[in-house]
Amino acid sequence: MVRVAVVDREYCKPNKCNLECIRFCPVNKTKHKKAIELSPDGKHAVIYEDICIGCGICVKKCPFNAISIVNLPDELEKNVVHRYGENMFKLYNLPIPRLGNIMGIIGRNGSGKTTSIKILSGLLKPNLGQVGADLEWDDIIRRFRGTELQTYFAKLANNEIKPIVKIQYVELVKRRLKGRVGELLKKADERGIVREVVDKLAIKHILDRKTSELSGGELQKFLVAAVLVKDADAYFFDEPCSYLDVKERLRVAQAIREFIDVSKKYIMVVEHDLMILDYISDQVSIIYGEPGVYGIVSKPYGVRTGINHYLEGYLPAENMRIRREPIHFRIQVDTRVKPETEYPILKWTNIVKTYRTSGFKLFIEAGEAYPGEVLGIIGPNGIGKTTFIKLLGGILEPDEGEVLVSVETISFKPQELSPKIFPEETVAANLRRASPSTLNPASWIYAELIRKLGLNKMLDRYVADLSGGELQKLAVAVALAKQADLYLLDEPSAYLDVEERLSVAKVIRRIIEEKRKTAMIVEHDLMLQNFVSDEVIVFSGKPGVEGYASKPMSNREGFNKLLRELGITVRRDPQSGRPRVNKPGSYLDRQQKSIGQYYMP
Ligand code: ADP
Ligand code: ADP
Ligand code: SF4
């Protein structure tokens, strides 16, 4: 076995502990050798993997959960591709770029997806595990001899592959790229296709805007467009669907196929919305391991079986169990039977509301919501979802109709994770501000919210140092911890991996049931939306002009309505039960359309 010891520098704080890891290490106690000691600058612990016996005592003793130790089979060592440094993350294998196939990548956050993309796009030269070494390309190419990666790296080393990456965190663009969208796209356009791309992604209306004025979804489409117009040989899309509605997600998927010739170009996509990843990719590679410690890239699988294996938690080609439990998305389609004794927490008649200044008009169908109920909200941006909530909360007055039972307080998690929503510096201070009881380890909210989201491990960390996924979990926790009658969470899945999406969904349901309040969840990952919501309200119409909000309806009815408007049919995968988008014009597509069953008949 080979030992991999990782000390997380964000968590290790020798000036705040009693150096328990060093004092209790049984090897250190022998006085001949040291398996663990402080770094020369005293800032973190250093573990010598060849001396450490892997007893795990330091892992348990560390008050900040900064240490991870795993033992991996010897034969895996020949597959090390990169290690960031001593006691840092280690990546084994790489996803294989292939002409003729779009390669999807699935894996937990912190498992090495971005690292793989950085290596394959030439941004990071792999060190094959030899920390500090600046290897010659010949050494790297030799290491991959006899594999498809040999040819790929040979071309990359000779500058015969020009790569382009759609980065994960679209918010970064606001700071780094200043100017107007139209001008920036024109400048990027090496293929003379900017007009077609703008049409396909429907972004004409933002061409005159500055990047600083764009919403999350608009930034996302702008970046996807900027990548498509580049004349590259290898295209990498790191989470291209966050902040986009269902229609836009499908458009992005279609645009990637339409504008990049997959027979001549390498294409890779990282995406956690599995219905979309399934729709975009031909094959998938799964990255498994322990987030932040090590990641192993699987062999490529066909897209359907690969996603099913991932959900099942077992990879047959490598004979590897990657998770103890399978992931089951509860696909609930029929209406919940409401107990007759219950009073609604919210009740409204048919409502009409017009904004005098913009002229936007919203029509709402009468409906009600009950304590403990989670309502899903689906529909495009700019269609009146926020206006609807403001009417329910009495912040706006209807022109026609009325809210019969209104809520007094609303707790809101906005879509974009700007610093504004975290007024305090640390994770703990923000949670305490939301509700003092959140940090009491004996409280149910600590057990059900803080611990279930893994926030207990990062209480001392600064908000500014958190990753997108960590910020999202904090934002959801802050919103749910507050006292309110109605909880509105706008896209709680952005930047979360599949497993985190599932735990956030479970946490939302549990907290709302326990508090006997109501939540409305705006969510475009349909698999997740179906999992989290009891019923859905479907928004349709013309964004910015006119919106229609349906009454709350069963998932089946709501999804049917949404997909009918999009002209898309979705079938059920017989093995996993998950939703899969039908190819337009295929037998199933035509059959489902003919019987009007757009969602999983
Ligand atoms: P993913 O994209 O799957 O979320 P990444 O490839 O970004 O994961 O990161 C994998 C691991 O490598 C993470 O634990 C991260 O902390 C670590 N890591 C990423 N970049 C660096 C770096 N420059 N130095 C040290 N560790 C890094
Ligand atoms: P969503 O939440 O679905 O994105 P909103 O309810 O925020 O949609 O907005 C719907 C439409 O109403 C948008 O076109 C928006 O520009 C417009 N709008 C929102 N608030 C106001 C306001 N206070 N005055 C005028 N127009 C508004
Ligand atoms: Fe020492 Fe055991 Fe920690 Fe290794 S795992 S550094 S032997 S305490």
Side-chain angles (χ1 to χ4, degrees):
M1 288 295 211
V2 167
R3 197 132 19 255
V4 179
V6 170
V7 179
D8 193 320
R9 308 276 172 97
E10 301 270 2
Y11 287 85
C12 182
K13 289 181 269 272
N15 54 354
K16 286 196 181 167
C17 71
N18 297 314
L19 304 181
E20 290 87 344
C21 58
I22 293 168
R23 287 196 292 121
F24 287 95
C25 170
V27 177
N28 282 16
K29 281 184 182 167
T30 63
K31 308 220 187 295
H32 306 301
K33 300 185 273 191
K34 282 204 171 6
I36 180 166
E37 63 182 348
L38 266 193
S39 60
D41 63 6
K43 288 197 173 147
H44 57 87
V46 177
I47 299 173
Y48 303 105
E49 289 171 344
D50 48 342
I51 299 173
C52 162
I53 54 169
C55 66
I57 289 176
C58 56
V59 178
K60 290 200 195 82
K61 290 285 175 194
C62 174
F64 304 116
N65 296 302
I67 301 176
S68 306
I69 308 233
V70 291
N71 296 311
L72 296 174
D74 282 329
E75 66 263 29
L76 203 58
E77 278 315 286
K78 63 180 192 303
N79 299 341
V80 184
V81 171
H82 190 70
R83 188 158 204 190
Y84 278 110
E86 294 300 348
N87 298 148
M88 284 192 192
F89 179 81
K90 209 167 173 183
L91 179 70
Y92 297 88
N93 304 337
L94 279 171
I96 303 167
R98 277 184 176 157
L99 296 180
N101 275 310
I102 296 183
M103 177 65 76
I105 301 175
I106 328 178
R108 303 217 49 185
N109 278 336
S111 67
K113 299 181 296 299
T114 304
T115 305
S116 301
I117 285 186
K118 279 190 184 155
I119 293 173
L120 291 170
S121 63
L123 279 173
L124 176 68
K125 203 173 182 191
N127 60 19
L128 308 181
Q130 298 160 40
V131 170
D134 181 16
L135 301 181
E136 295 296 325
W137 272 113
D138 282 346
D139 297 325
I140 297 166
I141 295 165
R142 200 172 313 118
R143 152 74 171 71
F144 292 102
R145 198 164 40 197
T147 72
E148 289 164 84
L149 284 165
Q150 179 185 9
T151 330
Y152 184 87
F153 277 120
K155 286 199 223 166
L156 193 65
N158 283 334
N159 293 323
E160 288 165 28
I161 288 182
K162 188 181 151 200
I164 177 92
V165 182
K166 197 300 285 173
I167 57 164
Q168 182 184 24
Y169 296 120
V170 294
E171 288 87 344
L172 286 182
V173 169
K174 281 194 183 179
R175 266 180 276 150
R176 294 201 191 148
L177 209 57
K178 302 231 185 294
R180 289 186 196 277
V181 171
E183 286 154 23
L184 290 167
L185 282 180
K186 219 176 259 166
K187 222 187 277 169
D189 186 19
E190 296 170 346
R191 303 172 62 199
I193 57 166
V194 75
R195 237 195 232 164
E196 290 89 330
V197 170
V198 164
D199 276 350
K200 177 80 200 176
L201 295 176
I203 49 173
K204 214 178 210 152
H205 62 289
I206 61 166
L207 293 181
D208 288 335
R209 296 227 218 121
K210 289 187 193 148
T211 51
S212 57
E213 298 163 358
L214 300 181
S215 71
E218 289 162 347
L219 274 174
Q220 185 72 272
K221 285 190 283 184
F222 159 58
L223 280 192
V224 169
V227 166
L228 290 175
V229 297
K230 286 276 186 190
D231 188 15
D233 303 291
Y235 293 81
F236 299 90
F237 295 89
D238 201 346
E239 299 188 28
C241 292
S242 322
Y243 300 145
L244 299 183
D245 63 46
V246 181
K247 190 173 181 176
E248 293 167 326
R249 286 177 189 212
L250 292 164
R251 263 202 211 121
V252 163
Q254 289 158 358
I256 291 175
R257 269 204 197 270
E258 205 172 305
F259 292 110
I260 313 174
D261 183 351
V262 65
S263 67
K264 298 199 179 84
K265 311 283 181 177
Y266 299 103
I267 310 175
M268 275 198 184
V269 181
V270 173
E271 181 53 53
H272 301 293
D273 180 334
L274 291 185
M275 199 176 89
I276 298 295
L277 184 81
D278 186 29
Y279 186 64
I280 299 184
S281 328
D282 300 301
Q283 297 192 318
V284 290
S285 272
I286 293 144
I287 311 195
Y288 58 98
E290 210 176 306
V293 181
Y294 73 102
I296 305 177
V297 182
S298 80
K299 298 189 168 76
Y301 287 88
V303 68
R304 187 181 85 86
T305 47
I307 293 179
N308 286 352
H309 293 327
Y310 176 73
L311 292 174
E312 198 49 45
Y314 177 72
L315 306 180
E318 23 273 292
N319 187 17
M320 176 61 70
R321 178 145 290 286
I322 60 169
R323 201 183 318 105
R324 241 180 275 147
E325 303 285 333
I327 294 177
H328 283 306
F329 277 89
R330 177 193 67 138
I331 304 290
Q332 179 200 290
V333 286
D334 296 314
T335 315
R336 182 175 85 116
V337 183
K338 289 171 188 147
E340 283 170 12
T341 51
E342 247 177 339
Y343 292 103
I345 209 167
L346 267 170
K347 192 175 166 84
W348 61 96
T349 64
N350 285 346
I351 287 177
V352 182
K353 173 77 193 170
T354 310
Y355 285 119
R356 308 255 171 280
T357 42
S358 64
F360 177 79
K361 198 163 188 173
L362 178 64
F363 300 88
I364 303 168
E365 241 177 36
E368 50 201 12
Y370 287 85
E373 199 168 49
V374 178
L375 285 182
I377 304 239
I378 29 184
N381 294 320
I383 200 73
K385 300 185 294 292
T386 314
T387 308
F388 172 65
I389 303 291
K390 284 184 181 164
L391 287 162
L392 293 184
I395 300 164
L396 284 176
E397 284 293 319
D399 300 336
E400 288 170 39
E402 59 182 317
V403 179
L404 301 169
V405 184
S406 172
V407 289
E408 299 232 320
T409 44
I410 301 178
S411 173
F412 175 50
K413 185 209 81 72
Q415 185 187 51
E416 264 184 83
L417 304 173
S418 68
K420 269 186 285 181
I421 56 176
F422 304 110
E424 308 288 343
E425 269 192 333
T426 64
V427 171
N430 280 289
L431 289 168
R432 199 176 299 119
R433 189 187 171 106
S435 159
S437 65
T438 18
L439 294 187
N440 174 4
S443 66
W444 75 270
I445 196 119
Y446 185 87
E448 292 300 331
L449 184 65
I450 308 304
R451 208 182 291 224
K452 288 265 160 68
L453 293 181
L455 293 169
N456 52 320
K457 294 186 185 156
M458 49 173 108
L459 292 174
D460 293 334
R461 288 187 53 197
Y462 289 97
V463 171
D465 296 336
L466 300 183
S467 70
E470 290 163 342
L471 273 181
Q472 187 69 266
K473 283 187 277 187
L474 177 61
V476 169
V478 163
L480 289 177
K482 287 183 185 158
Q483 297 291 349
D485 303 315
L486 175 64
Y487 293 84
L488 173 66
L489 307 181
D490 196 348
E491 206 177 342
S493 73
Y495 300 135
L496 297 183
D497 64 39
V498 177
E499 294 178 40
E500 291 167 330
R501 283 172 194 217
L502 194 67
S503 42
V504 161
K506 285 183 180 161
V507 163
I508 294 172
R509 292 197 59 85
R510 179 92 176 85
I511 300 277
I512 294 303
E513 270 166 30
E514 191 71 32
K515 288 195 175 192
R516 306 303 296 157
K517 302 293 184 191
T518 296
M520 295 199 178
I521 315 288
V522 180
E523 179 53 61
H524 308 290
D525 177 334
L526 289 190
M527 224 162 116
L528 188 70
Q529 181 64 281
N530 200 157
F531 181 85
V532 77
S533 55
D534 295 300
E535 291 194 317
V536 289
I537 295 176
V538 185
F539 280 74
S540 52
K542 251 183 146 173
V545 183
E546 214 168 61
Y548 301 88
S550 77
K551 63 175 195 292
M553 43 176 77
S554 73
N555 275 306
R556 185 196 298 283
E557 213 181 329
F559 282 46
N560 224 8
K561 182 172 160 59
L562 172 84
L563 294 172
R564 183 195 295 272
E565 268 151 30
L566 299 177
I568 289 155
T569 56
V570 168
R571 68 184 180 283
R572 187 192 291 271
D573 179 60
Q575 199 182 343
S576 61
R578 70 188 164 89
R580 302 193 74 203
V581 179
N582 289 322
K583 276 216 168 62
S586 64
Y587 172 73
L588 275 178
D589 184 54
R590 283 179 286 131
Q591 195 203 19
Q592 283 183 228
K593 279 180 179 160
S594 74
I595 54 169
Q597 301 241 348
Y598 285 70
Y599 189 61
M600 303 211 294

